[in-house]
Amino acid sequence: MALGAPFRIKLINAQMPAMDGFALVEQMQRSPELSGSIIMILGPGARPSDFARCEQLGVSACLSKPVKQSELIHALARAVKNLPADPPGPHLSVAPSPGGLVLFGSF
């Protein structure tokens, strides 16, 4: 991965001080450098409106805070499986283990 290149998976907080995460996702989708990313949203709770907005925006996962470690790992595993072929650079893979899933990253 080139210095300054965007990460392929983005975990966005739905509630931020200056802009909500959904507005950020909309801006990212308009940016050629950031469109096509795998996006996951962390929301304040299981509100139907958040899930509907995630679906409308094409967000891969809409997780409720506080998110359980197992939920985050499973959401990341699903996202990694949906990534297109890896270009040269950082790589994230998932492997089963006796305690669940293990995420491996190389940079």
Side-chain angles (χ1 to χ4, degrees), residues 43-66:
R47 297 185 313 199
S49 61
D50 286 346
F51 291 111
R53 187 106 185 260
C54 283
E55 187 174 333
Q56 174 190 18
L57 293 171
V59 171
S60 296
C62 188
L63 304 167
S64 297
K65 294 189 282 184

